[in-house]
Amino acid sequence: GDYQRITDATLTGNLTIAPQNLLNGVLVLAGNVLVPVGLTLTLQAGVGLKMEYRTLVFDVDGTLLTSGTAARPVVITSFPDDAYGGDTNKDGPSTGSPAQWLCVRLRPTSSASVLDHLIVRYGGNAGYPGIQLNRSDLAMRNCAIESCALSGLQLTGGARPTVRQCSFTGNGAGAVVGATLDAVAGFFESTASGNGGGNYIAVDNPTTATSCTIDRMNQINGVVVLATQVTIPVGVTVTIEADVVVKVRPTNGLLYVNGGLNVLGTGSDPVVFTSFPDDAYGGDTNKNG
């Protein structure tokens, strides 16, 4: 192979990787990546990482900074993927496929991370999403999660990231899963298409820890889906602005209010609470025609 192959990818100091550091534009990872607490990994525009094995994970306990651009994104993908960096594994023209590595996993101490123009492709092995945020309130801007085996973005532990103009495309499960109701307020102008489990934010974590305002920009494809019993506790107020559509899944969707709920629709742009199968508002969210 005409590339650098990394078998020990545990950082021992702060590190910046630029395209001029690479052979043929990529690093091939043959070992798990670990960014420990207190250390920072910076991936500059145009850097490509290819994960060689299905069991590999990209773990961040410290800080991950990706400074991609629209023309030169940072890419983390699978070894067979020729779309970025060319035919690295020399098997002739090929594309990757879902579940060829695990995921990018950012843990509670990684909230200072900023992911800008990062593309994640062909992850999702062993039940993982493309990116998992475990109590990480990081910032994502103009990122794309594509063709992963299960969900695109998974929030766990009550993560409340800021997600701006990101896209979730062709993943096997839902576009965004594990969200709390207050986490929805951190999404802005993001899109989703072709995801097998739905092209929306699924609120399937019942906890609402902070007061928030949800408006039309926070929705994906014009809806927020309640997929579990969600409680607004005493001392917390949720404000829902005009033109927000909340769809409730049958049997397990419920909004239980002990704190405050302000619903601020207008005559021309009401707030709508309706059932998951209702196509009249937000379109065919459940994809049943």
Side-chain angles (χ1 to χ4, degrees):
D2 300 322
Y3 52 81
Q4 295 155 309
R5 184 173 185 266
I6 307 300
T7 55
D8 182 356
T10 297
L11 266 68
T12 57
N14 294 331
L15 177 65
T16 297
I17 300 176
Q20 57 265 34
N21 303 134
L22 309 180
L23 295 176
N24 292 320
V26 297
L27 280 180
V28 174
L29 278 302
N32 290 330
V33 178
L34 175 60
V35 182
V37 173
L39 297 184
T40 298
L41 173 61
T42 301
L43 303 177
Q44 293 188 351
V47 167
L49 305 180
K50 293 192 176 182
M51 311 297 278
E52 189 168 1
Y53 301 123
R54 291 183 179 274
T55 55
L56 296 184
V57 65
F58 194 117
D59 269 334
V60 181
D61 290 315
T63 300
L64 175 63
L65 304 176
T66 67
S67 53
T69 66
R72 303 180 71 205
V74 173
V75 180
I76 305 175
T77 187
S78 66
F79 193 40
D81 183 7
D82 294 354
Y84 295 91
D87 185 17
T88 307
N89 64 350
K90 294 186 173 184
D91 66 343
S94 65
T95 61
S97 59
Q100 289 184 324
W101 58 289
L102 268 67
C103 75
V104 178
R105 186 166 57 186
L106 296 111
R107 296 191 282 216
T109 48
S110 69
S111 291
S113 298
V114 178
L115 310 182
D116 197 348
H117 285 91
L118 170 66
I119 298 175
V120 172
R121 292 159 59 91
Y122 297 125
N125 189 35
Y128 282 93
I131 296 180
Q132 182 186 77
L133 303 182
N134 180 7
R135 286 186 288 152
S136 179
D137 300 339
L138 54 69
M140 297 175 59
R141 300 189 293 260
N142 299 292
C143 296
I145 307 176
E146 305 170 352
S147 302
C148 293
L150 293 176
S151 53
L153 178 64
Q154 181 186 50
L155 311 183
T156 67
R160 293 187 296 275
T162 301
V163 181
R164 294 184 180 275
Q165 295 181 323
C166 293
S167 64
F168 309 92
T169 307
N171 300 293
V176 180
V177 301
T180 59
L181 187 60
D182 46 342
V184 174
F187 285 75
F188 300 91
E189 298 179 324
S190 291
T191 61
S193 62
N195 298 286
N199 300 311
Y200 50 81
I201 301 171
V203 179
D204 45 20
N205 183 323
T207 304
T208 307
T210 60
S211 297
C212 66
T213 297
I214 298 171
D215 67 25
R216 68 186 74 187
M217 290 191 302
N218 304 135
Q219 304 173 110
I220 292 181
N221 289 323
V223 297
V224 175
V225 174
L226 295 190
T228 190
Q229 176 176 316
V230 175
T231 299
I232 302 174
V234 173
V236 171
T237 298
V238 174
T239 299
I240 302 179
E241 298 276 6
D243 202 29
V244 170
V245 176
V246 180
K247 292 192 177 182
V248 184
R249 281 186 182 166
T251 71
N252 58 353
L254 174 67
L255 183 60
Y256 192 78
V257 182
N258 286 322
L261 176 65
N262 300 325
V263 179
L264 306 180
T266 68
S268 58
D269 292 311
V271 172
V272 178
F273 286 82
T274 187
S275 66
F276 190 48
D278 182 8
D279 295 353
Y281 294 90
D284 184 18
T285 306
N286 65 348
K287 303 201 304 186
N288 70 340

